[in-house]
């Protein structure tokens, strides 16, 4: 269903990504999909394919430049080596700009590490029209979230040991202070509950179904 394509970053460098084309072809709203710390694997490609089935032009930028892993230790190393200050304003913004050539509206959705990058993109990528983060957000000092001007949806796990509930509630407080147009949903689940390949054993089908429904309703409202 999808193809590996190359697009330009704002700085002129090339970045590759997985592009899932909807049945209507290169038409419809765009969605940039941001990987978990595992890399551009079949699971995240599957998310893009599902979004394409809903009529979106879905693009997953390859933030790790071809590296993929199923080992948590290696995933942590790859994530730790990633330049977040480059990924959001360059790789992700480049993907957004690429989709904007054909799509009047473009959103971003990310999971885990990609959820953190989604929030950063909501701050720094001014071409975006909506953002949705699943169980991930950046450190408080990484960006001023009070400046977000687009609709933002977030999904939090009450048993999350990576992005803790206390940190998530502090984020909600900063968003409220900035009068950001956001909504957040909490699930009785663990971190990574939306990954059906169960790489860390925390998949929760019920929470995933509800979060996916809310995500697709959010983007239908703000992008279509």
């Amino acid at each position: 269903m999808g193809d590996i394509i190359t697009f330009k970053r704002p700085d002129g460098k090339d970045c590759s990504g997985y592009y899932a084309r909807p049945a209507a072809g290169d038409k419809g709203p765009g969605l940039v999909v941001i990987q978990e710390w595992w890399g551009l694997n079949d699971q995240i490609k599957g998310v893009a394919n599902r979004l394409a089935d809903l009529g979106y032009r879905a693009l997953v930028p390859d933030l790790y430049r071809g590296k993929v892993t199923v080992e948590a230790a290696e995933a942590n190393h790859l994530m730790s080596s990633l330049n977040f200050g480059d990924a959001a304003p360059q790789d992700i913004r480049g993907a957004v700009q690429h989709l904007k050539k054909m799509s009047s509206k473009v959103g971003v959705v990310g999971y885990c590490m990609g959820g953190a990058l989604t929030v950063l993109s909501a701050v720094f990528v001014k071409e975006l029209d909506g953002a949705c983060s699943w169980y991930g957000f950046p450190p408080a000092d990484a960006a001023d979230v009070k400046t977000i001007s687009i609709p933002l949806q977030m999904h939090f796990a009450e048993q999350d040991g990576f992005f803790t509930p206390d940190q998530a509630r502090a984020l909600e407080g900063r968003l409220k202070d900035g009068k950001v147009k956001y909504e957040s949903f909490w699930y009785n689940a663990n971190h990574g509950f939306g990954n059906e390949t169960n790489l860390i054993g925390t998949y929760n089908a019920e929470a995933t179904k509800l979060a996916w429904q809310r995500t697709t309703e959010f983007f239908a409202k703000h992008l279509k």
Side-chain angles (χ1 to χ4, degrees):
M1 182 178 202
D3 302 296
I4 299 298
I5 66 166
T6 301
F7 57 89
K8 291 289 185 184
R9 301 173 7 141
D11 63 5
K13 294 179 181 178
D14 286 337
C15 185
S16 65
Y18 177 81
Y19 176 54
R21 191 177 279 104
D26 291 317
K27 298 178 181 178
L31 270 174
V32 175
V33 182
I34 311 299
Q35 66 192 51
E36 295 187 343
W37 67 349
W38 310 109
L40 179 52
N41 60 14
D42 288 342
Q43 190 274 333
I44 203 70
K45 290 177 183 177
V47 173
N49 291 342
R50 290 180 67 192
L51 291 167
D53 288 340
L54 295 174
Y56 295 97
R57 302 172 62 227
L59 176 56
V60 191
D62 185 3
L63 304 179
Y64 288 168
R65 305 295 188 265
K67 295 180 180 178
V68 178
T69 184
V70 296
E71 299 293 335
E74 185 179 1
N76 186 57
H77 172 72
L78 289 169
M79 181 180 71
S80 299
S81 301
L82 181 69
N83 183 345
F84 280 66
D86 182 72
Q90 292 295 334
D91 290 349
I92 297 171
R93 190 179 181 205
V96 172
Q97 290 176 339
H98 178 79
L99 291 174
K100 276 271 179 171
K101 292 176 182 177
M102 300 285 288
S103 300
S104 60
K105 291 190 176 183
V106 175
V108 61
V109 58
Y111 302 77
C112 174
M113 178 190 85
L117 284 164
T118 292
V119 177
L120 288 175
S121 298
V123 175
F124 296 117
V125 182
K126 299 308 180 185
E127 296 90 343
L128 277 171
D129 298 289
C132 176
S133 167
W134 287 48
Y135 39 77
F137 45 86
D141 59 358
D144 184 2
V145 297
K146 296 193 294 292
T147 65
I148 294 174
S149 60
I150 59 171
L152 172 66
Q153 183 183 79
M154 296 177 297
H155 302 276
F156 298 129
E158 292 173 0
Q159 281 85 50
D160 200 322
F162 291 91
F163 298 88
T164 68
D166 285 348
Q167 292 170 328
R169 292 188 180 95
L171 171 62
E172 289 176 319
R174 293 193 295 276
L175 293 169
K176 287 175 183 171
D177 289 344
K179 296 181 172 57
V180 176
K181 294 174 288 185
Y182 86 95
E183 58 183 4
S184 56
F185 300 98
W186 289 82
Y187 303 85
N188 184 19
N190 286 283
H191 181 77
F193 67 77
N195 188 329
E196 72 283 1
T197 60
N198 222 14
L199 290 172
I200 54 174
T202 58
Y203 176 60
N204 184 309
E206 184 179 355
T208 299
K209 181 179 179 181
L210 186 53
W212 180 259
Q213 177 185 336
R214 288 165 168 163
T215 298
T216 54
E217 289 173 352
F218 172 80
F219 285 126
K221 176 180 178 181
H222 295 291
L223 301 186
K224 290 188 174 181

